[in-house]
């Protein structure tokens, strides 16, 4: 099972962990730090320790008791976790394309008007679109390892 963003929150909740409003919204391209456990795991060994991905969330979660922490960020300590070899939860968005982000900006861009240290402008977000191809390639490598 794979959960991305809300999906990660739903997995955390289903496994008995709390889901709640984070201390800051995180909207834009920000780095996550992969844990040592992640970097030695077959699913994540192709990632670097610090890796920049797209985020668009205001909620976060506690880790379920049996979860292995995979990634964290400066504002969100629980960015990803695994439960055994059966559940993978990612708070960030490695699946995004320029078109999907542009649609989010069109329909929910008002959230960018909120002030916060982890909310980027449309221009700053667009300036990071060059990262999307590599993010998606790395996502497919992760999925190949996870589902095999």
């Amino acid at each position: 099972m794979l959960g991305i963003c809300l999906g990660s929150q739903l997995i955390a909740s289903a496994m008995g962990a709390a889901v709640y409003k984070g201390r800051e919204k995180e909207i834009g391209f920000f780095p996550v730090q992969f844990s040592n456990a992640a970097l030695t795991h077959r699913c994540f060994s192709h990632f670097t320790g610090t890796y920049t991905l797209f985020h668009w969330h205001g909620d976060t979660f506690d880790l379920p008791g049996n979860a292995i922490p995979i990634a964290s960020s400066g504002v969100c300590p629980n960015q990803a976790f695994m439960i055994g070899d059966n559940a993978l939860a990612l708070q960030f968005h490695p699946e995004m394309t320029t078109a999907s982000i542009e649609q989010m900006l069109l329909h929910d861009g008002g959230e960018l008007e909120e002030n916060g240290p982890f909310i980027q402008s449309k221009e700053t977000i667009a300036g990071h679109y060059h990262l999307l191809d590599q993010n998606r390639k790395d996502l497919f490598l992760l999925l190949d390892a996870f589902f095999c």
Side-chain angles (χ1 to χ4, degrees), residues 30-111:
F30 296 99
V32 298
Q33 292 75 42
F34 284 100
S35 68
N36 289 336
L39 294 174
T40 59
H41 192 280
R42 72 184 192 289
C43 291
F44 296 93
S45 60
H46 61 283
F47 285 94
T48 58
T50 301
Y51 191 85
T52 300
L53 297 121
F54 187 71
H55 304 257
W56 195 307
H57 60 92
D59 293 333
T60 190
F61 47 81
D62 291 335
L63 291 177
N66 54 347
I68 298 169
I70 296 297
S72 62
S73 71
V75 69
C76 186
N78 298 322
Q79 281 283 354
F81 66 88
M82 288 185 77
I83 299 175
D85 289 329
N86 299 315
L88 174 59
L90 308 174
Q91 180 76 6
F92 47 82
H93 288 276
E95 81 285 5
M96 299 305 279
T97 64
T98 300
S100 61
I101 293 174
E102 288 293 321
Q103 285 297 306
M104 292 175 78
L105 292 169
L106 177 66
H107 297 288
D108 295 314
E111 285 191 70

Side-chain angles (χ1 to χ4, degrees), residues 15 21 32 47 50 57 60 88 118 124 128 131 139 141 148:
M15 298 304 294
K21 183 177 177 159
V32 298
F47 285 94
T50 301
H57 60 92
T60 190
L88 174 59
F118 299 96
T124 300
H128 287 88
L131 298 173
L139 170 65
L141 290 172
C148 290

